[in-house]
Amino acid sequence: MLATKLETMRESLVIIVFHIVATVMELFKTSDAIQSWTYPEEYVFGIGNVPLFTGFMYSAVGSYIARVWRIFKFEYSHYPSKPATLILVTLIYINFFTHHYIWDFRWLLLGLTILLFYRIKIYFKIIKTHRHMPLLVGWLLVALFIWFAENIATFTNIWLYPNQSSEWQMVSLSKLSSWYLLMLISFVLVSLINNVKIRRVGHLKIN
């Protein structure tokens, strides 16, 4: 990707960070003590219960967000401060671990996400024209397609949730919220290396 200039060095670095962050979560989630999901088939390269290819699945999400941000020249309205978004995604990441021991704060965190981003529209350039949609809807569409892919992956036995051990079932819709929040972490990480262009009436302002 670097050799063909499909990605920049800065984009690659943030993708690696997301890769590491996600792999640490995978190690925890698949540990013998937690077993949120399992990888039933043998693998050659892995750490603990995690085959190394799983990190690349998360990297693919980060790579997608980094590239479309640049290709479609994203602009935003009413984007919050970067420190506020960092605090939010840090709490989201911590909750992926702590909800196994204390109350799951995911719905509260989703509520905070809506409160922080509900006014924001994302503007994306198609050929010559910027079109827009609510940013929350854009994230939901990305998370939805990841959820579709997850159903395919579990159906083909790449990984399994506990309720799929005896026979395959569709992945719970609750996992859609998990992908939504995890994708938000990737988005905010990508925002750290990009100028967040704020669209105003009649002009652009760089945040």
Side-chain angles (χ1 to χ4, degrees):
M1 299 292 276
L2 287 173
T4 57
K5 297 184 179 180
L6 291 174
E7 282 177 358
T8 67
M9 181 60 72
R10 293 179 70 191
E11 289 170 346
S12 296
L13 289 175
V14 78
I15 291 166
I16 290 171
V17 170
F18 186 54
H19 185 127
I20 294 171
V21 165
T23 299
V24 169
M25 188 185 71
E26 281 270 346
L27 287 167
F28 175 80
K29 293 287 191 178
T30 61
S31 66
D32 295 337
I34 302 298
Q35 293 188 329
S36 293
W37 59 83
T38 58
Y39 294 93
E41 298 183 355
E42 294 184 2
Y43 51 85
V44 177
F45 302 105
I47 304 173
N49 296 326
V50 182
L52 288 182
F53 77 84
T54 61
F56 292 98
M57 295 189 296
Y58 295 103
S59 297
V61 176
S63 178
Y64 164 77
I65 293 173
R67 291 194 65 204
V68 296
W69 190 309
R70 174 164 41 86
I71 292 170
F72 293 104
K73 302 184 185 304
F74 284 175
E75 301 172 8
Y76 305 89
S77 63
H78 307 292
Y79 198 87
S81 68
K82 287 184 178 180
T85 63
L86 275 174
I87 291 171
L88 174 63
V89 299
T90 300
L91 292 174
I92 289 171
Y93 187 68
I94 291 171
N95 188 69
F96 277 119
F97 296 85
T98 58
H99 82 85
H100 291 282
Y101 306 105
I102 60 175
W103 189 59
D104 188 354
F105 290 93
R106 124 179 19 199
W107 301 112
L108 175 60
L109 292 168
L110 280 169
L112 289 174
T113 299
I114 293 171
L115 187 64
L116 199 59
F117 291 97
Y118 79 97
R119 293 196 304 163
I120 301 174
K121 290 182 179 179
I122 181 170
Y123 294 80
F124 46 95
K125 192 173 184 178
I126 305 297
I127 305 178
K128 294 182 179 180
T129 305
H130 267 97
R131 305 184 186 281
H132 62 83
M133 72 168 67
L135 183 57
L136 292 174
V137 173
W139 287 342
L140 178 61
L141 291 173
V142 175
L144 182 62
F145 278 98
I146 295 174
W147 181 78
F148 288 151
E150 186 177 35
N151 275 283
I152 296 171
T154 55
F155 182 75
T156 54
N157 219 40
I158 294 176
W159 72 83
L160 295 173
Y161 291 105
N163 66 325
Q164 298 173 321
S165 57
S166 57
E167 63 177 355
W168 183 80
Q169 304 174 42
M170 287 191 68
V171 176
S172 168
L173 277 173
S174 66
K175 297 297 181 185
L176 183 59
S177 65
S178 298
W179 282 114
Y180 193 97
L181 292 172
L182 195 62
M183 188 271 307
L184 176 56
I185 293 174
S186 178
F187 183 92
V188 170
L189 285 174
V190 173
S191 76
L192 297 180
I193 62 166
N194 286 318
N195 289 324
V196 179
K197 295 185 177 180
I198 306 301
R199 192 177 185 89
R200 305 293 189 193
V201 177
H203 69 281
L204 264 185
K205 179 182 177 183
I206 305 298
N207 184 19

